[in-house]
Amino acid sequence: MIGLVLRGLSTRKLRSALTAVAILLGVTMISGTLVLTDQIDRAFVQIFEQGNSKIDVVVKQKPPFKDDQTEVYLNADLVTAVRAADGVQIAEPYIQVQGYVIVDGKPMDQTGGAPSFVFSSVSEALNPYTPIEGRLPTASGEIAIATQIAEKSKAKVGQSVTLATQDGIKPVKIVGIVQYGDGTTSLGGSTTVLAPLIDVQNWWSLQGKASYIYAKAKDGVSADELKANVRAALPQKDVIVQTGKENADEQASVLNNLIGKIIRYALLAFAGVAVLVGAFIIYNTFSITVAQRTREFAMLRTIGASRRQILGTVVGEAFIIGLVASVIGIGLGLVFAWGLNKLFGAIGFGLPATGLILSWQTVAVSLAVGVGITVLASIFPALRATKIAPIAALREGATLPVGRFQKLTPVIAIVIAVLGAAGMVFGLTSDADTTSRLLTLAGGAILIFMAVAMLARFIVRPVVGVLAVPITKVAGGVGKLASENAARNPARTAVTAAALMIGIGLVVFVTIFVGGLKESFTGAIDTSLKSDVTVTARGFGGSLPAGVLGAVKAVPGVQTASPVGGTVVQVNGQSLALIGVDPTTITDVYKFDWNTGSDTVVQNLGAGKALVEDNIATSLKVKPGGTIKVQSINGATATFTVAGTYTDPSILNGIVVEQSALKPLLQSNATGLNTVFVKEVPGSNADTVQAAIEKALAGYPTAQVQSNAQQKEQVASGVNTILVIFYALLALSVMISLFGIVNTLVLSIFERTREIGMLRSVGTTRRQLRAMIRWEAVITSIIGGVLGVLLGIMFGWAVCKGLESEGLSFVFPTVQIVIFLVLSIVAGIVAAILPARRAAKLDVLEALQYE
Amino acid sequence: MSTDMKTTPGTTATDAVVVATDLTKIYGEGDSEVRALDGVSVSFPKGQLAAVMGPSGSGKSTLMHILAGLDQPTSGSVLVDGTELAGLNDQKLTLLRRDKIGFVFQFFNLLPMLTAKENIELPMKIAGSTPDPEWQATLVEATGLGTRMSHKPAELSGGQQQRVAVARALLSKPAVIFGDEPTGNLDSKTSSEVLALLRRAVDEFGQTVIMVTHDASAAAIADRTLFLRDGKIVRDAGHLSAGEILDTIKTLE
């Protein structure tokens, strides 16, 4: 039988190739994602192995709760105890913060996703950075810059530049250019400046603090021994002692959780969509070919092939197609990984990556998915093939028997749709954790897609009936024929269209969802802000220098400058933002949307009182008059009485307290200031006042001054970047569905060869024949496009309504939907090119005599 | 058998609809060369029902395909309603078939998703022209299908389907209708209904029909019977009875 399978595949080359493409692109995305994230993963491991290569023991603060995004610091004085431990050769405090140098007025920072670091410079014995020019900074006012900055800025050793710090701009002198490790490790888009510990502590308000204490063992003392000795010397429970290796592993895994895993799961989700679309096409192709081969299977049955052998030939064909496609897909995955990395770099998210890594896990997962899905999708058609009676071999035009399940299709589809809807409702409304909610939501959406695909055949005829009128007007007789052809095999047209529906549906959904996110931010700016200008911190974990507030207040034309600060706290195991406001001014710049409470309540907000955002109040199950106990990352706790609740999931989304209540909970000596809302004197020229504020803040390069319109623009441009990435990834799925249209058309044309011969002989021109096929494709793509748009709107609406309380609003994207519909028509035209050509090329005489 | 050739009816060039001169069709090269047609000259006058007969491989199908513009001769010329086919590109040949030629096929070749009426109208719809309603009504009456016009081919018998196919060929009033074994897939009763319709097309509607057939009873309704063997016309007779035709065939084999 295997010989028969191979022979069959080789005689149906084009069809087999088109089927393979359907699964190939999905496998490419899977393997490419795994390759890329392995690279990122490996790169982080390398970075931190390099960073800890000279270090035997690391001492760090144990945070009271886990929050990967907040730095925690420990008391730098602990270094004395570490030095006193047995076997310590050298021990030094080390600190890392965010900041950047300014060379000739140009900030050498990263505006994309990668961080701009300032590290305190430890002794060469511990330092992963080595000078390739000059030396490491030792005295106050000295810095060393990493090679990337030196190359970009052309700054030289000995040059005087400035350093952007938490405390404003500081004049510094470059004393060295340093490279990380042996210079081969990729650091992605990040930049590094080294400065003496004392400067970093002073300029980032971290006096007496350190990120870590690094220690190196004397010769003959192992890292593990040293770790035990240091542990013995530090009885404090809130301090962690690790070997350099353990620290490297932990640091790599923290970053991987933050970056690698998110990229991996997000990309795999898109790959999953591509695979799903591919599965539809494989199912459809096998359904059509099985129907076309009815007589062949019947003949095999008459000469003694068992049902099992018939099943084997079909599934065997699927297995080989899946295998070949997966192998090619894995290869293309390497190219995909390389391209994605370049794409991330191009949009400002330069990620560190090593050379290409093709792990056995990548190969195994890609093969399993590629072969598995292809075989799975072929099983239903294969089972139908086994139902063919031997007698069919003798009948002209024998067709497949109607399957048992086929009659039940509407019932099954409705059951699936109900399950899908239930999954979506659960995903949107349950209290379960985000991962399981997202998974049920996605699972529900997939079920609904499947149900619609199964039911779509019932709408094919009516829809074609409607479309036939304008198409016949435009294209005449061939238009009428195209419509008839599209409606001829409704199940076939429906599944072909359904493949496109998934892609278009998700494109529409993403448009609505991301549009809703944008609207929730920009809408909040419009409804909640009474201020005209907002000062925020660029980078630096959002912290502004203390002097900013006074500088802004002094600007003529400024009526009110209201400071807002914040930190991360934990309440009942939930990480939340604790927001400190100035009660006397906040209501002048911000409009509370009260549920219980009033502006008077804020104005009298004393110590020990808090206002809670409504969603948070609901999830914490607290009511006005109740109390909440917050745990700060610095270990301190505080209890507040709820004085009121308000709704704002966007701007002041957290627990609002009086500024001074925030102070003891801040985890460094930082200002705790991250935003200044500025209201101008009524009637003043907005541009003039904003320019004056910018001028007043010239000494604080990290302070960003934006009008409300500029804030909205910034949100919009961020949203557009995300949309472009989503569209690009979904475009692959849409492409796969185009191959599906091509495949169905090629197969249908093959089936109708004699008909085409007749049409040509009675005077249909090649051009008319091509037009006929083009219109058939366009009808299919319109059905797919319309169904996709409808489902996309439905999903988008459901998700926006479900997350309404979290600020998501539903905006109908009229323009985009028109564009998507036009694009789906274009897609149909493009898909028809090859099949139409093939049909037009058929020799009339041969086609007429085709059996 | 060329010795008993009778005078060919209607050879005057003026009223000939199809004129073939010295047609040769060679397949393959060298040793494997096959002369499907070997210097055939023949012309068909307007208003004639001609049957082309001959054993398998005699070249009768090739002759019809070349006359109908579906295949190109190796050498020689074909005039259809005054138009020389040699040198016409695919587009012009297609338009010529559309405007001047009708076809009736062995396997009917109706489109399964169209009704009988729609199938009849199909070539004219493709051409973008409107059928003459009176003429269409006459044809519908001639097919004898009446109320079955709104049925799909699958709901019609073979003979009914073929009568629809004949009506389809007639609707545009072509210069000539070619039949490729029009009764080849029918039993004798339904055959005679189709043949009667073809006869009527010539007698009443003044059409010209050239059909290739194996069936002696089909050829027996023809005004003229041509016999081919080895790519040559070996006998060109007027109306022959089925018996006479069978006798001739015996001598050819």
Side-chain angles (χ1 to χ4, degrees), chain A residues 462-588:
Chain A
V463 170
V464 171
V466 173
L467 289 177
V469 178
I471 290 176
T472 310
K473 275 240 169 69
V474 176
V478 289
K480 163 94 172 124
L481 272 182
S483 314
E484 294 290 347
N485 280 335
R488 195 162 169 171
N489 213 321
R492 187 183 292 186
T493 306
V495 179
T496 310
L500 180 65
M501 164 190 85
I502 297 175
I504 299 280
L506 289 174
V507 165
V508 171
F509 167 71
V510 160
T511 307
I512 293 175
F513 181 71
V514 176
L517 279 181
K518 178 175 124 183
E519 182 59 30
S520 73
F521 281 112
T522 56
I525 290 170
D526 286 336
T527 54
S528 303
L529 289 191
K530 296 182 189 169
S531 58
D532 306 297
V533 169
T534 306
V535 182
T536 50
R538 194 155 52 115
F540 291 86
S543 217
L544 278 171
V548 167
L549 182 62
V552 174
K553 277 186 171 162
V555 172
V558 169
Q559 187 180 54
T560 314
S562 183
V564 175
T567 188
V568 177
V569 293
Q570 210 168 46
V571 184
N572 295 346
Q574 260 188 73
S575 284
L576 299 167
L578 189 71
I579 302 161
V581 299
D582 172 11
T584 57
T585 55
I586 186 70
T587 51
D588 293 336

Side-chain angles (χ1 to χ4, degrees), chain A residues 99-129:
Chain A
Y100 52 87
V101 281
I102 301 164
V103 181
D104 301 331
K106 286 190 209 94
M108 290 295 129
D109 65 334
Q110 285 297 319
T111 48
S116 309
F117 291 116
V118 175
F119 296 147
S120 73
S121 186
V122 288
S123 310
E124 219 160 318
L126 296 167
N127 208 326
Y129 285 91

Side-chain angles (χ1 to χ4, degrees), chain A residues 485 755 760-761 764 768, chain B residues 90 94 97 103 111 113 126:
Chain A
N485 280 335
E755 238 174 78
R760 293 274 290 123
S761 66
T764 309
Q768 284 179 312
Chain B
D90 179 82
T94 304
R97 286 199 300 269
F103 283 98
L111 293 187
M113 68 285 188
I126 288 171

Side-chain angles (χ1 to χ4, degrees), chain A residues 12-270:
Chain A
R12 293 183 289 270
K13 281 193 198 75
L14 178 71
R15 184 189 320 177
S16 306
L18 286 168
T19 315
V21 170
I23 194 70
L24 186 149
L25 289 174
V27 174
T28 299
M29 286 177 79
I30 291 177
S31 83
T33 301
L34 296 178
V35 167
L36 177 69
T37 50
D38 278 350
Q39 283 178 271
I40 295 170
D41 199 347
R42 184 77 62 90
F44 283 141
V45 169
Q46 275 183 9
I47 288 171
F48 292 113
E49 276 174 358
Q50 291 268 9
N52 289 279
S53 61
K54 295 178 180 173
I55 296 153
D56 290 315
V57 163
V58 177
V59 179
K60 55 178 124 170
Q61 184 74 28
K62 184 179 187 178
F65 56 89
K66 211 171 137 49
D67 185 273
D68 285 345
Q69 295 183 62
T70 312
E71 292 269 353
V72 284
Y73 299 99
L74 84 169
N75 187 347
D77 294 342
L78 289 175
V79 73
T80 320
V82 175
R83 280 180 187 143
D86 276 349
V88 172
Q89 185 200 328
I90 177 171
E92 288 181 22
Y94 159 84
I95 199 159
Q96 57 190 35
V97 294
Q98 295 198 19
Y100 52 87
V101 281
I102 301 164
V103 181
D104 301 331
K106 286 190 209 94
M108 290 295 129
D109 65 334
Q110 285 297 319
T111 48
S116 309
F117 291 116
V118 175
F119 296 147
S120 73
S121 186
V122 288
S123 310
E124 219 160 318
L126 296 167
N127 208 326
Y129 285 91
T130 46
I132 54 167
E133 237 187 285
R135 57 178 173 82
L136 292 173
T138 47
S140 177
E142 290 178 350
I143 62 160
I145 55 172
T147 43
Q148 305 113 291
I149 302 179
E151 278 158 23
K152 197 172 147 198
S153 68
K154 310 267 180 280
K156 298 272 183 304
V157 171
Q159 192 173 336
S160 289
V161 294
T162 53
L163 186 65
T165 76
Q166 189 90 87
D167 196 29
I169 292 179
K170 304 291 172 186
V172 288
K173 192 173 152 197
I174 299 171
V175 296
I177 293 169
V178 292
Q179 99 181 354
Y180 193 68
D182 57 6
T184 57
T185 309
S186 158
L187 293 171
S190 69
T191 64
T192 307
V193 174
L194 299 185
L197 179 72
I198 187 73
D199 282 352
V200 180
Q201 286 175 330
N202 285 335
W203 294 341
W204 272 265
S205 311
L206 290 164
Q207 291 85 351
K209 299 278 181 187
S211 299
Y212 308 125
I213 291 167
Y214 286 152
K216 193 175 179 65
K218 287 178 182 151
D219 285 348
V221 179
S222 77
D224 287 327
E225 285 171 78
L226 192 71
K227 177 183 161 187
N229 295 347
V230 171
R231 183 74 266 183
L234 290 173
Q236 291 91 334
K237 283 217 175 75
D238 59 351
V239 163
I240 300 169
V241 181
Q242 287 177 322
T243 62
K245 173 84 177 65
E246 286 166 348
N247 184 44
D249 291 348
E250 189 187 308
Q251 286 173 316
S253 93
V254 165
L255 263 192
N256 236 340
N257 282 338
L258 277 179
I259 300 171
K261 272 200 187 149
I262 291 174
I263 292 177
R264 174 170 295 200
Y265 291 133
L267 288 179
L268 282 181
F270 285 101

